[in-house]
Amino acid sequence: MSGYPDAPGHRNVDTSVAAANAIAPKLGRLQRLAQAAIKAAKQRGLTADELATKLDMDRYSIQPRTSELKHKGLIRDSGKRRLNSSGKAAIVWVAANDGDTITKNAA
């Protein structure tokens, strides 16, 4: 892995770097799971909270994957918003192109 979005981002703070290093071995798999769930949701899309629920994962582990996938051009902001668990408007993510996928060796 080189750099973001093929490697997890961090804020150059020891705790952030440690978290990025811990997630790095799982990054490609998590990105593929997130992309597949968003693609399966079709035009309804998923918010980060909905994605975490669908994948039965902690939101803080899966939400950064949406930023990485967006950066890769694999998902996009649908323009829709739904309330998240804290009552705030959240981006509804949809697949950018139904033909795009992350290969097993990518990410």
Side-chain angles (χ1 to χ4, degrees), residues 1 5-7 24 26-32 35 72 74 101-107:
M1 280 190 210
D6 295 319
K26 304 175 211 167
L27 185 65
R29 179 179 159 275
L30 292 175
Q31 287 181 351
R32 287 189 299 276
Q35 183 190 12
K72 289 181 171 198
L74 298 172
T101 57
I102 298 174
T103 63
K104 277 205 173 245
N105 295 329

Side-chain angles (χ1 to χ4, degrees), residues 33-35 37-38 46-57 62-63 65-66 93:
L33 288 170
Q35 183 190 12
I38 291 167
L46 294 170
T47 67
D49 281 3
E50 293 165 348
L51 178 60
T53 298
K54 182 145 200 86
L55 296 176
D56 194 27
M57 293 184 180
I62 205 66
Q63 185 279 327
R65 310 308 57 99
T66 60
W93 298 104

Side-chain angles (χ1 to χ4, degrees), residues 20-93:
N21 289 339
I23 201 78
K26 304 175 211 167
L27 185 65
R29 179 179 159 275
L30 292 175
Q31 287 181 351
R32 287 189 299 276
L33 288 170
Q35 183 190 12
I38 291 167
K39 188 173 181 177
K42 303 192 188 256
Q43 291 305 307
R44 175 163 171 35
L46 294 170
T47 67
D49 281 3
E50 293 165 348
L51 178 60
T53 298
K54 182 145 200 86
L55 296 176
D56 194 27
M57 293 184 180
D58 183 85
R59 181 191 177 281
Y60 298 105
S61 294
I62 205 66
Q63 185 279 327
R65 310 308 57 99
T66 60
S67 297
E68 295 156 0
L69 293 171
K70 178 187 173 212
H71 192 80
K72 289 181 171 198
L74 298 172
I75 65 172
R76 66 177 174 80
D77 180 339
S78 68
K80 299 181 218 172
R81 301 294 183 263
R82 287 197 288 269
L83 298 182
N84 63 20
S85 60
S86 65
K88 305 269 194 283
I91 294 170
V92 176
W93 298 104

